Amino acid sequence: MRSIWNGSISFGLVTIPVKTYSATDRTSSVSFVRIHDKDGAQVQYRKICELDGEEVPNEEVGKGYQAPGDETVVPITDEDLSQLPMPTAKTLSILSFVDPAEIDPLQMDKAYYLGPNGASATKPYTLLREALEHHRKVAIGKVAMRGRESLAMLRAYDQAIVMHTLLWPDQIRSATGVAPDDVGLRENELTLAETLMDSLGELDPAELHDDYREAVEELVAAKVEGGEPAAPAASGTSGAQVIDLTAALEKSVRAAQGGGESGARAESASVTSLRGRKPAKKSEAGPRASGPSRTPAKQAAKKTSSGPASAKKTTGKKTAAAKTSGGRTKAASPAKKTGTSARASTAGAATKKASKSTAKKATGAKTGRKTG
């Protein structure tokens, strides 16, 4: 890189010779030349004298100062400017070290790299850079470059020192009349906005590029080849829309979290009309079919399984019962079990007969009393 300014940094009693390099490149941005629409020739800019109407060559162009609101122009020569007391013409004087948050980004103008100028400047240059990085401070000073004095901010960046020229405080316009009046916001709107900010994640500088420049280059290439430029894709949104802020925030959060298209489809499916559709079969209910609810057929099967068939299985299990101490299987006697069942049924019948007899006697007694 070519150095555009040589000077020194005044750091207390320490002087650091530095060279200044432009840190930005604006040549990559799109720029156009002015042409004559009729024949396509470039339009030239000529310096014309207002008095005689003749073109003025570059070597005869000088400087002049015109006060605001005054038509008088005062000629100023380079010799006049060189005699002005400007201690910052070759020295960047550091005035203080402040927190970076104290510098309003509106004040930042242009950026320059500062590099050590000579072997003797290497160590103090490194010391200042390390102090700025370790202490997390930026240096504020004044410097004169290209015929004017500016505020400057120094900060550590990528093993180097970067100088940002700053605008003077009176060059920052007030924001009065720009911001709207008091606007009421709901708590959930603010929460959704913050959630969206967190969901967008970090910015990858490698993914940043100038889409407009690429489109212009494609347009120029198509015209050079004699073809028609590709039509731009139609945008799905209009410029001015009245939207539900909360709904827009919710949809934006879903899209940022990776559920953009699926979330939109789910939302549209939730409001689809079900008219004209056949009711779903119970067998298609999915996971609910495995729950506690059963169909009537299954309930009937359950009752059937608890009937005589299960009794037979139980009898079979008891028949193949435990062995005696001698090792032989002791079979259960069906007759014995049948006799027990018979005695139980006979006792039940006798009880019912006795109950009927008692009821008959009681009825007769009541009848006798009434007759007497």
Side-chain angles (χ1 to χ4, degrees):
M1 288 187 290
R2 184 175 63 87
S3 174
I4 60 175
W5 182 81
N6 293 346
S8 61
I9 301 173
S10 177
F11 177 31
L13 297 178
V14 178
T15 301
I16 310 172
V18 293
K19 287 185 176 183
T20 306
Y21 309 90
S22 180
T24 58
D25 182 12
R26 298 178 182 269
T27 58
S28 60
S29 60
V30 175
S31 60
F32 301 98
V33 296
R34 295 186 180 272
I35 63 172
H36 191 195
D37 287 337
K38 290 185 177 181
D39 51 22
Q42 291 193 25
V43 176
Q44 297 182 358
Y45 292 90
R46 297 181 179 180
K47 302 175 179 66
I48 305 298
C49 178
E50 291 184 354
L51 291 179
D52 55 21
E54 295 183 359
E55 185 175 355
V56 180
N58 290 333
E59 58 271 13
E60 296 182 9
V61 177
K63 296 183 181 69
Y65 180 81
Q66 184 178 11
D70 191 354
E71 295 182 358
T72 305
V73 178
V74 179
I76 302 293
T77 63
D78 292 339
E79 186 179 356
D80 294 334
L81 295 176
S82 64
Q83 293 177 359
L84 293 176
M86 188 181 293
T88 58
K90 287 294 183 181
T91 303
L92 193 158
S93 302
I94 294 178
L95 303 177
S96 64
F97 294 88
V98 301
D99 193 293
E102 297 182 24
I103 306 301
D104 193 332
L106 282 174
Q107 286 187 257
M108 294 188 181
D109 191 10
K110 295 182 179 180
Y112 302 90
Y113 288 129
L114 298 182
N117 189 4
S120 60
T122 303
K123 187 170 183 179
Y125 176 91
T126 306
L127 175 62
L128 177 59
R129 183 200 66 206
E130 291 295 323
L132 290 171
E133 186 171 5
H134 184 266
H135 204 40
R136 296 181 180 179
K137 297 285 185 179
V138 295
I140 301 298
K142 293 194 298 183
V143 63
M145 292 178 60
R146 295 179 175 177
R148 65 186 63 189
E149 187 176 57
S150 303
L151 283 174
M153 180 187 76
L154 305 182
R155 67 184 180 96
Y157 173 78
D158 196 16
Q159 303 300 315
I161 296 177
V162 176
M163 178 181 71
H164 295 269
T165 55
L166 305 177
L167 301 176
W168 297 97
D170 59 357
Q171 292 179 300
I172 305 299
R173 295 179 176 177
S174 173
T176 304
V178 176
D181 296 334
D182 294 339
V183 178
L185 294 176
R186 292 184 298 221
E187 186 65 27
N188 64 327
E189 293 173 342
L190 185 59
T191 302
L192 284 170
E194 294 174 350
T195 303
L196 176 59
M197 294 167 64
D198 295 335
S199 301
L200 289 177
E202 298 180 356
L203 182 65
D204 185 5
E207 297 180 356
L208 301 178
H209 57 278
D210 191 347
D211 294 329
Y212 181 72
R213 184 187 68 186
E214 294 178 359
V216 170
E217 291 173 351
E218 292 177 2
L219 172 64
V220 172
K223 284 184 171 290
V224 169
E225 295 176 359
E228 290 294 328
S235 177
T237 59
S238 60
Q241 288 182 323
V242 179
I243 61 173
D244 184 348
L245 182 58
T246 303
L249 287 170
E250 290 176 348
K251 185 174 291 187
S252 300
V253 170
R254 288 197 299 269
Q257 291 176 348
E261 295 297 328
S262 60
R265 285 195 296 266
E267 184 179 355
S268 62
S270 64
V271 295
T272 301
S273 176
L274 297 179
R275 288 181 299 176
R277 292 187 179 181
K278 295 182 180 179
K281 296 180 181 179
K282 290 185 178 181
S283 59
E284 298 175 357
R288 293 185 179 180
S290 61
S293 61
R294 293 181 175 88
T295 59
K298 289 185 177 181
Q299 290 180 355
K302 184 179 180 183
K303 288 182 180 180
T304 306
S305 63
S306 60
S310 61
K312 287 182 180 180
K313 290 181 180 179
T314 307
T315 306
K317 288 182 180 178
K318 289 183 178 179
T319 304
K323 296 179 180 180
T324 60
S325 58
R328 284 184 293 178
T329 304
K330 188 176 180 181
S333 174
K336 190 175 182 180
K337 287 183 180 281
T338 306
T340 304
S341 301
R343 284 197 299 269
S345 60
T346 303
T351 304
K352 288 182 180 180
K353 191 174 182 179
S355 299
K356 287 181 180 180
S357 177
T358 305
K360 202 171 185 182
K361 288 179 180 181
T363 304
K366 287 181 180 179
T367 306
R369 287 194 195 101
K370 288 181 179 180
T371 306

